Amino acid sequence: MDLDYGTKYEKYTKDVQSFCKKYKGVQFSDTPKVPLASNNKSGGHTVTRSEWQKILIENGYFARSVPKEYGGYGGDSDIIKSRIIATEFSNARIPGPMAGQGIDMLVPTLLELGTEEQKSMYIKPTLHGEMIWCQGYSEPNAGSDLASLQTKGELIDGNWVINGQKIWTSTAQYSQMMFCLVRTEPEASKHAGISYLLIPMDTPGIEIRPLVDMTLHAGFNEVFFTDVTIPEANIVGKRGEGWAVANATLGHERGSLANPNATMNRLNQLINRMKKETIDGKKLIEIPVYRDRLLKIQGKVIAFQSHSLRVLSSKLNPGQDVKIAKMIQKLVGTELRHELEGLGIDIMGELGTLYEDSPYLRDGGSWQFTYMYFLGLIIGGGTSQIQKNIISERGLGLPREPKVQGV
Amino acid sequence: MYFGLSEEQVFFQDNVKKFLEDQASLDVIRKIASGDSDELQKEIHQGLINLGLNALLIPEEYGGLGLDLLFAAAVSEGLGSGIAPISYIGSYIMAPIAIMHGGSNEQKENYLNKISSNKIKFGVGLSEYIAARDDSGLEVSKNKVNGKALFVIDGENATHFILSTKSGGMFIVESNDPGIELIKLTSIDKTRSYYEIILQDAKIDLLEKTTSSHEAINKTVDAGRIMLAADTVGASQVMINKSVEYAKERKQFGRVIGSFQAVKHMCAEMAAELEPCYSIVWHAAHCFDSTTEEARLMACQSKSHVSEVGKMVSKKATEVHGGMGFTDLLGLHYWFKRIGMNRQLLGSPELVRDEAGKIQGF
Ligand SMILES: Cc1cc2nc3c(=O)[nH]c(=O)nc-3n(C[C@H](O)[C@H](O)[C@H](O)COP(=O)(O)OP(=O)(O)OC[C@H]3O[C@@H](n4cnc5c(N)ncnc54)[C@H](O)[C@@H]3O)c2cc1C
């Protein structure tokens, strides 16, 4: 065990710290479209979200290893530096870069599998926050069983013509583009008939119907396609290889759904709340039952953060076995965050039930919102039950469930 | 020996459920939740008054039905299952109990008759007695009260309020007193309303027997807690039923999801945890009625235990529904939020358990 990053990172850490000092309290002048986007409100610089992206890229704090010609910083891929950046930003409460399906999933996919033209066309505006993407995978009858999707794509006169329906498409209503899984080879087997297409959302024939979710926001949508026609070149990978292309990015999504730094920040916010809130004049942090619940969950949060260090270490030390350690991240991270948010509600009692614009609202009602939102993330991106299937079957080598006929 | 609801109790509960199925469909609940349907809400309220909801517990000599708390619990279960968008626990259970146990003969005569004939309606706020949050609290001097009460329940169209001091003295204020101000709070639970009340030299009618003894306020809180637990049981059962139905219909991987052991086990775990909740709630209500020694302990434990089970059920049931559970399409979240609200009202689980410990002299 050696947790020292080495002397060559000392200066780097100082640089990041002085950047954080300079931008302490930076504020956004535009409102977030994406739920849970960080919304820092404490005076200081004011920038648009897109300007902030550019500042971060210029300094190498975001898109570090993305080549310059595609709008990135063009540096070496150095996960220790990425780690230092994340930690220092989190300590200084500086908003990190934008997240979202374009940045977290599409960009890595294009870097790995996109054509030169696709890379130069899409990556830069996406990194700059000027091109928002949505993920068109799930369909009414293809959720956990994603590979059974039926939205059809036919190649007619050099164009893809798409018909069908997607559902649960997060942020479709704000997106310029969708990366989408479409059945293009109806004759082929379930997994071999799918292609990965890039669809401009303003193409005629696309209808978006927002769906209100339990938080009472329209976080996701139904998207209908009627003879939606896009150029043949808007395919990533080859025809029928979409399943493999998508799986390259599902890994990215699962990693990004439960960020241990964000969980730690939230824990700290909870600690601060408990130092302020009182029952009959007594501070919550001093009430043994609440204190124990807090400390118990702190143990889990610290374990999860340490765990992410171990997974990180495996990237530097290829011999390290983290097969199962990696598989559990989505399951553990989303369940933990949901539990943490629930504790935030519980310690506040009735105050914790307040929502929207109520008097006495605490932290903008974010404990309720996030409690529900993370229940959504426990379901989205592969449910907890599916994660457990993966861990037990692919991780632990247990036999698969026998196929059941005719139920 | 017979442990369970009587035929009349089941019959009445079924009537309540049926009424709500007819009159308070999900579409109606949605309209009420969005806040622009006072009329619909009043109609539902009136319909339930016609069934006798306001008079359940009030003795016959005051024009009521003279039924017991177990009966009221059966009704509360029914209301929870239909996420009834009306006042009940405060107005028609806690308020009459407070007056019956804390009021003078004259006060009983005055208020109980009017509740049973639906001439007056009470909102109830005892949070300051149970656990004062923020800087809430009420000071009584002579026959005036000052301060603020938080999370007053059933304040909608109330003509009177029963509030309390930290030390457990309960008193009545009228909602048309010039010294009273009502501020609506917005919670996740849009099926019922919650208020803050600010009082400035408002005139009070002190419930006479509550100055020297905690008996009346404890009875009132115990009854409220049993009712909340029953409401959660009703709401949880609906979430389980919906999950089971959905699991039988929804297909993935070429089979109904209910054929996956993971889904079956979620359903079975919910059922296994909820079944004893019926038992503890009925038993607690029975102890309340027969004023056995363990009545207070049973009230506390039914509230805190059922709250924990409700939390688990509301999460798992949502999970069984996959993405559908997270949307407004099936409206599952109204039950989720009702259960979430019940958990925190009249003391969240830790606080109520602490009280259960004290009751036993631990
Ligand atoms: C907040 C949120 C955001 C989302 N965003 C997007 C998005 O942007 N783009 C997109 O394409 N999709 C998105 N989704 C969809 C998401 O990927 C699906 O909801 C998820 O994969 C589950 O599919 P389903 O909803 O059809 O549930 P189902 O697959 O019908 O699952 C229902 C229940 O059955 C269980 N189940 C199913 N199969 C098995 C099995 N083999 N073994 C054991 N249990 C099983 C599930 O665990 C679940 O409990 C989002 C979902 C949510 C909740």
Side-chain angles (χ1 to χ4, degrees), chain A residues 101 134-146 166-171 220 253 373 375-377 379-386 389 401, chain B residues 246 250-253 257 260-263 266 319-324 326:
Chain A
Q101 290 164 329
C134 58
Q135 175 202 43
Y137 287 5
S138 306
E139 296 180 7
N141 291 316
S144 297
D145 184 13
L146 183 58
K166 295 291 171 182
I167 194 170
W168 320 129
T169 322
S170 301
T171 70
F220 47 34
E253 176 179 52
Y373 188 78
L375 183 49
L377 292 190
I379 296 164
T383 66
S384 279
Q385 293 71 41
I386 295 295
N389 288 350
E401 262 194 54
Chain B
Y246 191 77
R250 168 73 174 168
K251 279 191 174 171
Q252 286 288 278
F253 302 97
I257 57 166
F260 291 115
Q261 221 164 46
V263 174
M266 281 199 279
E319 286 188 78
V320 170
H321 286 78
M324 206 47 111
F326 186 63

Side-chain angles (χ1 to χ4, degrees), chain A residues 91-227:
Chain A
N91 289 346
R93 300 185 158 268
I94 301 273
M98 273 181 175
Q101 290 164 329
I103 286 168
D104 293 332
M105 299 178 71
L106 178 87
V107 168
T109 305
L110 287 186
L111 284 171
E112 206 175 313
L113 301 164
T115 62
E116 196 46 45
E117 202 191 342
Q118 287 165 346
K119 289 184 204 175
S120 40
M121 201 160 150
Y122 299 121
I123 295 181
K124 187 171 181 174
T126 305
L127 293 177
H128 286 185
E130 285 151 3
M131 183 181 275
I132 309 289
W133 291 76
C134 58
Q135 175 202 43
Y137 287 5
S138 306
E139 296 180 7
N141 291 316
S144 297
D145 184 13
L146 183 58
S148 66
L149 60 94
Q150 292 303 331
T151 294
K152 196 169 67 174
E154 291 166 289
L155 198 55
I156 301 174
D157 301 335
N159 287 311
W160 291 109
V161 179
I162 302 155
N163 281 285
Q165 185 202 341
K166 295 291 171 182
I167 194 170
W168 320 129
T169 322
S170 301
T171 70
Q173 70 270 52
Y174 317 117
S175 296
Q176 284 77 41
M177 294 289 297
M178 170 189 277
F179 53 97
C180 187
L181 292 181
V182 169
R183 187 158 299 283
T184 53
E185 330 297 309
E187 312 298 313
S189 70
K190 198 168 158 184
H191 293 86
I194 297 169
S195 296
Y196 188 107
L197 304 182
L198 308 176
I199 306 174
M201 293 301 280
D202 59 1
T203 314
I206 295 182
E207 191 198 337
I208 301 169
R209 288 188 209 153
L211 286 174
V212 174
D213 63 49
M214 70 190 295
T215 68
L216 301 181
H217 294 83
F220 47 34
N221 305 266
E222 291 177 289
V223 182
F224 297 87
F225 302 89
T226 314
D227 292 332

Side-chain angles (χ1 to χ4, degrees), chain A residues 140-141 143-145 168 212 214 280 293 335 346-347 350 353 355-356 358 360 362 372 385 401, chain B residues 132-134 148 166 186 188 190 196 250 252-253 255 315 319 326-328 337 343-344 350:
Chain A
N141 291 316
S144 297
D145 184 13
W168 320 129
V212 174
M214 70 190 295
D280 298 332
R293 276 189 72 184
E335 296 279 355
D346 270 358
I347 55 123
E350 292 141 313
T353 66
Y355 204 50
E356 293 174 329
S358 184
Y360 296 97
R362 301 300 206 252
M372 294 187 273
Q385 293 71 41
E401 262 194 54
Chain B
R133 301 273 176 173
D134 208 81
K148 72 178 183 193
K166 182 74 224 163
T186 308
I188 41 157
K190 300 277 195 314
E196 173 192 13
R250 168 73 174 168
Q252 286 288 278
F253 302 97
R255 53 197 263 195
K315 172 176 186 261
E319 286 188 78
F326 186 63
T327 56
D328 186 44
K337 291 167 183 171
R343 178 178 171 90
Q344 309 301 344
E350 280 80 10

Side-chain angles (χ1 to χ4, degrees), chain B residues 301-361:
Chain B
Q301 286 295 19
S302 63
K303 166 72 165 73
S304 55
H305 177 65
V306 173
S307 296
E308 303 291 16
V309 173
K311 182 175 176 179
M312 182 280 274
V313 168
S314 63
K315 172 176 186 261
K316 286 226 161 108
T318 307
E319 286 188 78
V320 170
H321 286 78
M324 206 47 111
F326 186 63
T327 56
D328 186 44
L329 291 171
L330 300 178
L332 205 65
H333 65 100
Y334 289 108
W335 282 267
F336 181 98
K337 291 167 183 171
R338 176 117 168 176
I339 292 169
M341 190 76 205
N342 288 347
R343 178 178 171 90
Q344 309 301 344
L345 290 171
L346 303 181
S348 52
E350 280 80 10
L351 300 178
V352 181
R353 278 194 287 264
D354 188 51
E355 211 173 313
K358 288 186 180 133
I359 289 164
Q360 296 169 88

